[in-house]
Amino acid sequence: MEKILQGNYAIARGAWEAGVRVACAYPGTPSSEILTALSQEYKEDVLTEWSPNEKVALEVAIGASFAGARAMASMKHVGLNVASDPFMTVSYTGVKGGLVVVVADDPSSHSSQNEQDSRHWARFGKVPMLEPSDSQECKEFTKLAFELSEEFDTPVLVRTETRVAHSFSPVKLGERKESHTPLGLDKKDAPKYTMVPIYVRVRRKIVEERMKKLEEFTNEFKYNTVEMNDPRIGVITSGVCYNYTKEVFPEYSYLKLGMIWPLPKKLISEFSRKVKKIIIVEQLDPFLETEIRAMGIKIFHGKDVIPNHYELSPEIVERALKGKKYKPPKIRVHTEGLPPRPPNLCSGCSHRALFYAIKRLGLFTFGDIGCYTLATAPPLNAIHSTICMGAGVGGAFGAMKVLGKEGLGKCCAVIGDSTFLHAGIPPLMDIVYNKGNSTTIILDNQTTGMTGLQEHPGTGYTVTGDPTHRINFEELARALGVKHIRKVDPYNLKETMEVIKEEVERDEPSVIITVNSPCMLHRREKRKFEHPFYKVLTEKCRGCGLCLEAGCPAISWREVTEEESLTQDGHKRKGVVQINRLQCPGCGLCSQICKFEAIVPGEA
Amino acid sequence: MEERVTNVLLSGVGGQGTILASDILCSVFHEMGYDVKKSEVHGMAQRGGDVTTHFRFGKKVYSPLIKYGEVDYLVSMELLEGLRYINWLKREGKVLLNLQEIFPPAVNLGKMKYPEDIVSQFKKYFNGRVYPIQGLNLAIQCGDPRAANIVILGAFSTFFEFPEEVWERNLLSHLPPKIHELNLKAFRAGRGAMS
Ligand SMILES: Cc1ncc(C[n+]2csc(CCOP(=O)(O)OP(=O)(O)O)c2C)c(N)n1
């Protein structure tokens, strides 16, 4: 049977067909749907979990593999940075049940804090890597990855990127086959699984031998394919880049690599002898190019013309390879000048209310990663640094270290609930342990909002919707030694500003937790607002625009005509604001901001 | 089947159901025997940002992304989001526009103007091939403004001579039963608007 599947769903299907027993992940675009699919569609056969972070996800998968099960951990590119510690060493121990790590790159940073080329991990960790180009290959390669993992006693990386992970194409479905490896632990395996120096040295050599065997294997690997067409130009490529290039230059010859590490050197040499000129088309870094040049093969075009940043597209490949001969399509309208439509916090979002308070207090905010990072955009402009998950908490502490008492009342750290549990606990511990005085605000919207509403240890539910222990942020902070813990309802602007002000001025560590502030898109939890919506008393509105500073999508400004140029009480105005009733959930922030009592509750 | 691949660019604002519409397209064209590919950017789509989906069908489709300037059908759920992709169209391309305006932040703040005469800007280049549809109004008449995407899908379906039954079955298979009637109505309203 054939079905249209998203790349991530196809990976899930491949893992299921391969008999995967355990799948762990921390959400991250564009990888999240892999675990969603496994936990919804294959939950009878697969034990799935949202792990607190990627390092834990991989460690749980490693344990399952050591106990004989086929196991998988999936994550976005930066997730593998977090999981890199276990990753680099599980390469030495190898596996018992097949172990697959899926890593999803995000060229052009559609949804990420940086742009990384995960292929380097394969070389760095000495681990084979497969790279599918569409959904069918996503399924096939994931299945194969489990077999290779057991055959060569190695973890196997499967690398995708946005246009593979989030594209849909037909997939031929197969049946599930359980793996033959028996479940169980054996103490005799200690030298293989215990990486202390004497055993490390033994395994270190085995890793090199394994990579040699894999190189022999990949020269014959059926998914490293040669298509001979015009022998004048041979393209070496992989993944989605093959599709882009094939689209615009169907007449060229191709060597498409399904396994991109280790490289099939013999196959590459043979191909390069069959064609006159070699072109390498790859996204991001010159990974293949560097290796192939080092083999002494002459390269006609590679990163000299193909950009090494942002995602590629058929147009970019065509433009790069045709050079001066490229004819761009006709420009009808200069669309760069059109009003942009960046993503925004939803109307009614509790993050908006909280960041409006911070903006009014004029603090420097060490931000973190999540929906709330959107508060950095105008008009809120209320986040002033963002590095990686957890970095804000330590960052504010570091700044306060050097600013001393001068810094009091001037800065804070802000972190989402999911992000706090992912990487915020150790830095909070550090603040207390090393006698800091910074303030950490935990934005508890009871879900992992940014990546599509996943559960986490603070929501009280597992990935399959089972109720479970729910972390209490207050108790947790107390256990770390924080003495000043405050709770605020962010929709109460005055109180929120007072609490934040008190805590940032306090010369001791403090934590502020938002309460009753679930994500507006939450399926289970809903904040009940007092009024169904708010409306503007146009006769009173002075058009000062203060309410617009909150950036609510439901509020807009319009110019007024001569007739309307005075308020009821005779104040001159250039315009007024209006509230789109369909978009307003009635959070009431704007009415608290307005100084002229011009925004009032509406009745249903 | 002809060798040529046909390119459909769907655009809109997060929350308008652009992605659902393209999911349905995928199943319909696949059922009609075509190879299909569809690509979209997730993640921030729910946050009111712009959303585009590239949908391609033909005998064999390689790239999941359409080449700039090669769009056969531009289907836009919102006027400004349509105009943003005007240069992506082929000379002989067709344009289906939902006559709905959703103000982006810069317009809400009074810093920029929402472009005027978007339909005539399209007509200037694609006269006779521009199809403006009152998607929102028709959806409201059917009972729910959120069905505007399905009205537009219904209108789009008239460009192809596939059995109506195939469209409607695939439409319903993507939706929960309690909104089947509403969406069938919306789909048919969209078809009606093109006749
Ligand atoms: C190491 C790493 N893993 C995953 C992600 C993807 N990611 C971005 S934000 C986020 C979590 C957001 O949840 P939360 O902190 O609760 O904030 P919210 O979006 O709900 O406001 C995730 C998982 C990432 N950026 N970095």
Side-chain angles (χ1 to χ4, degrees):
Chain A
M1 200 182 66
E2 211 179 67
K3 203 174 162 188
I4 294 170
L5 291 181
Q6 191 204 46
N8 282 335
Y9 274 71
I11 288 175
R13 177 76 193 193
W16 178 79
E17 289 181 10
V20 73
R21 293 285 280 270
V22 172
C24 311
Y26 181 73
T29 311
S31 72
S32 312
E33 296 84 356
I34 298 170
L35 196 82
T36 312
L38 283 165
S39 65
Q40 288 173 354
E41 301 190 5
Y42 308 106
K43 64 174 169 223
E44 270 73 49
D45 301 311
V46 189
L47 297 164
T48 50
E49 70 163 52
W50 285 126
S51 311
N53 65 35
E54 294 85 352
K55 178 175 184 292
V56 177
L58 179 52
E59 287 158 351
V60 173
I62 291 171
S65 157
F66 285 3
R70 288 195 165 180
M72 180 163 85
S74 50
M75 57 202 69
K76 69 183 287 162
H77 61 312
V78 283
L80 192 47
N81 302 351
V82 175
S84 60
D85 212 1
F87 170 74
M88 292 299 287
T89 301
V90 74
S91 166
Y92 286 31
T93 62
V95 305
K96 193 188 226 167
L99 177 67
V100 173
V101 179
V102 183
V103 58
D105 281 358
D106 181 18
S108 281
S109 294
H110 293 290
S111 225
S112 303
Q113 65 266 36
N114 74 7
E115 193 183 60
Q116 275 180 206
D117 190 331
S118 294
R119 294 177 298 173
H120 296 292
W121 286 114
R123 181 166 53 191
F124 193 24
K126 300 177 187 291
V127 165
M129 179 183 260
L130 302 175
E131 188 183 22
S133 70
D134 61 12
S135 297
Q136 178 67 41
E137 287 188 356
C138 279
K139 195 205 83 167
E140 253 2 280
F141 287 18
T142 305
K143 234 169 131 171
L144 256 168
F146 282 99
E147 284 164 27
L148 294 176
S149 172
E150 286 172 12
E151 187 182 337
F152 291 93
D153 191 9
T154 175
V156 176
L157 283 162
V158 174
R159 180 223 192 191
T160 67
E161 53 83 68
T162 308
R163 301 303 177 179
V164 172
H166 279 175
S167 287
F168 291 67
S169 54
V171 176
K172 288 194 182 66
L173 303 183
E175 289 308 312
R176 178 175 169 94
K177 271 207 199 85
E178 298 296 337
S179 124
H180 299 303
T181 315
L183 295 187
L185 293 165
D186 190 340
K187 295 191 189 107
K188 285 204 297 290
D189 290 334
K192 174 162 158 44
Y193 295 148
T194 312
M195 287 304 96
V196 291
I198 45 163
Y199 297 147
V200 167
R201 289 181 202 121
V202 176
R203 298 298 306 177
R204 180 69 187 82
K205 271 172 65 188
I206 294 176
V207 168
E208 293 305 322
E209 287 157 17
R210 172 182 83 204
M211 290 315 276
K212 275 211 190 80
K213 280 190 210 138
L214 272 157
E215 194 184 313
E216 279 163 34
F217 167 85
T218 192
N219 279 315
E220 310 290 329
F221 183 47
K222 68 173 174 179
Y223 287 105
N224 291 331
T225 50
V226 174
E227 287 169 43
M228 284 311 296
N229 298 311
D230 183 345
R232 279 173 300 183
I233 295 196
V235 178
I236 303 179
T237 184
S238 67
V240 76
C241 298
Y242 165 78
N243 289 324
Y244 295 156
T245 317
K246 182 87 184 165
E247 181 80 30
V248 271
F249 300 106
E251 69 278 16
Y252 290 171
S253 297
Y254 284 86
L255 169 56
K256 171 176 178 292
L257 300 177
M259 185 184 281
I260 53 162
W261 193 259
L263 286 178
K265 290 191 177 157
K266 206 171 111 226
L267 187 63
I268 292 171
S269 301
E270 280 166 17
F271 181 70
S272 71
R273 281 195 297 272
K274 280 193 223 153
V275 294
K276 233 175 156 165
K277 288 174 174 168
I278 292 280
I279 293 178
I280 295 180
V281 181
E282 57 189 325
Q283 206 155 232
L284 303 179
D285 295 333
F287 180 83
L288 300 177
E289 184 174 339
T290 307
E291 291 293 328
I292 295 171
R293 275 190 200 282
M295 289 166 61
I297 291 173
K298 223 174 122 205
I299 287 164
F300 178 57
H301 276 318
K303 289 292 163 184
D304 55 331
V305 293
I306 307 268
N308 66 356
H309 53 278
Y310 303 162
E311 66 177 352
L312 299 182
S313 67
E315 177 220 347
I316 294 172
V317 172
E318 182 177 25
R319 196 187 279 265
L321 296 183
K322 282 193 178 158
K324 286 200 186 90
K325 281 190 224 122
Y326 175 77
K327 279 201 199 63
K330 178 174 164 172
I331 304 288
R332 303 176 181 109
V333 172
H334 287 278
T335 50
E336 315 81 65
L338 294 176
R341 197 183 300 272
N344 190 1
L345 296 170
C346 303
S347 51
C349 175
S350 62
H351 295 337
R352 172 175 294 104
L354 188 113
F355 281 100
Y356 185 77
I358 290 180
K359 179 186 173 81
R360 284 274 284 274
L361 292 169
L363 305 181
F364 183 104
T365 314
F366 282 85
D368 223 292
I369 308 212
C371 280
Y372 49 97
T373 317
L374 295 171
T376 196
L380 277 171
N381 302 312
I383 282 193
H384 311 99
S385 88
T386 292
I387 305 289
C388 67
M389 296 191 79
V393 181
F397 175 37
M400 291 299 283
K401 244 185 212 280
V402 294
L403 299 176
K405 296 222 187 321
E406 283 291 293
L408 288 174
K410 295 197 179 125
C411 90
C412 67
V414 169
I415 186 164
D417 47 350
S418 180
T419 304
F420 178 70
L421 296 171
H422 176 286
I425 301 170
L428 184 58
M429 196 187 303
D430 188 34
I431 299 171
V432 178
Y433 172 52
N434 284 307
K435 299 171 181 283
N437 57 2
S438 58
T439 300
T440 305
I441 305 177
I442 301 172
L443 303 173
D444 185 10
N445 64 358
Q446 302 176 44
T447 188
T448 316
M450 178 99 271
T451 42
L453 305 166
Q454 293 83 5
E455 306 291 351
H456 62 64
T459 68
Y461 290 87
T462 68
V463 65
T464 47
D466 271 344
T468 180
H469 175 75
R470 175 173 181 175
I471 297 257
N472 179 319
F473 290 103
E474 185 180 356
E475 281 174 14
L476 180 58
R478 209 172 294 290
L480 295 175
V482 182
K483 294 210 178 64
H484 305 282
I485 303 167
R486 308 283 295 271
K487 292 188 171 175
V488 293
D489 175 352
Y491 295 101
N492 185 333
L493 180 60
K494 188 159 164 280
E495 181 199 282
T496 303
M497 284 176 62
E498 278 164 16
V499 170
I500 298 176
K501 189 163 184 308
E502 269 171 49
E503 295 309 325
V504 293
E505 282 174 356
R506 192 192 293 282
D507 197 6
E508 277 181 273
S510 58
V511 165
I512 300 171
I513 305 162
T514 65
V515 292
N516 197 6
S517 48
C519 171
M520 294 304 290
L521 304 170
H522 212 297
R523 284 174 285 257
R524 224 174 21 241
E525 315 285 343
K526 292 271 178 260
R527 161 92 184 202
K528 282 201 185 59
F529 294 117
E530 216 176 313
H531 303 287
F533 64 97
Y534 277 76
K535 62 182 183 191
V536 179
L537 299 175
T538 310
E539 65 279 10
K540 279 193 175 180
C541 176
R542 294 200 193 175
C544 68
L546 196 63
C547 57
L548 294 173
E549 297 276 288
C552 175
I555 310 182
S556 59
W557 198 81
R558 70 173 169 85
E559 256 173 55
V560 287
T561 55
E562 196 49 42
E563 288 142 57
E564 280 186 299
S565 69
L566 289 183
T567 63
Q568 192 181 39
D569 46 356
H571 287 276
K572 240 189 128 37
R573 62 183 179 189
K574 286 201 176 117
V576 293
V577 298
Q578 53 200 6
I579 294 177
N580 178 344
R581 194 182 151 171
L582 286 179
Q583 279 188 21
C584 173
C587 83
L589 174 67
C590 53
S591 101
Q592 297 173 63
I593 296 173
C594 180
K595 287 186 180 153
F596 306 106
E597 287 166 9
I599 304 181
V600 297
E603 288 126 53
Chain B
M1 191 183 296
E2 55 173 334
E3 287 285 327
R4 212 177 72 79
V5 171
T6 304
N7 298 318
V8 184
L9 184 72
L10 295 107
S11 63
V13 177
Q16 279 194 298
T18 314
I19 289 175
L20 173 68
S22 66
D23 282 341
I24 298 165
L25 286 182
C26 251
S27 342
V28 168
F29 282 83
H30 184 238
E31 181 173 331
M32 295 311 292
Y34 291 94
D35 186 20
V36 292
K37 268 203 179 123
K38 167 178 102 109
S39 177
E40 65 206 31
V41 176
H42 283 234
M44 311 237 256
Q46 276 174 318
R47 314 291 173 266
D50 51 349
V51 179
T52 57
T53 300
H54 293 214
F55 169 62
R56 315 188 66 217
F57 66 92
K59 196 164 163 209
K60 167 79 193 158
V61 181
Y62 284 101
S63 171
L65 292 179
I66 301 170
K67 201 170 86 182
Y68 178 53
E70 291 291 315
V71 169
D72 296 282
Y73 297 92
L74 173 62
V75 180
S76 188
M77 303 290 172
E78 199 272 349
L79 282 169
L80 168 60
E81 292 317 313
L83 185 60
R84 211 184 290 288
Y85 298 96
I86 189 171
N87 298 326
W88 279 71
L89 277 154
K90 272 184 189 160
R91 220 166 45 130
E92 61 282 12
K94 292 183 178 168
V95 189
L96 186 59
L97 292 171
N98 180 17
L99 295 171
Q100 189 180 346
E101 293 182 354
I102 300 175
F103 286 179
V107 175
N108 271 345
L109 294 172
K111 299 216 163 98
M112 288 178 99
K113 283 225 154 49
Y114 193 92
E116 280 168 20
D117 301 331
I118 291 182
V119 176
S120 21
Q121 293 196 55
F122 274 105
K123 284 193 172 152
K124 196 169 137 200
Y125 296 100
F126 305 97
N127 204 8
R129 280 168 285 124
V130 182
Y131 305 88
I133 301 283
Q134 293 284 1
L136 184 62
N137 292 352
L138 288 170
I140 292 171
Q141 279 169 28
C142 294
D144 193 328
R146 284 172 299 181
N149 58 338
I150 303 302
V151 174
I152 299 303
L153 184 74
F156 181 73
S157 70
T158 61
F159 291 131
F160 307 91
E161 280 159 18
F162 299 163
E164 215 167 318
E165 180 272 327
V166 175
W167 283 101
E168 295 191 349
R169 185 164 28 78
N170 282 288
L171 165 71
L172 298 187
S173 70
H174 282 83
L175 298 168
K178 67 170 191 240
I179 55 170
H180 277 184
E181 207 186 306
L182 163 75
N183 281 282
L184 268 185
K185 248 167 128 183
F187 184 80
R188 289 172 189 166
R191 280 184 82 92
M194 294 288 279
S195 59

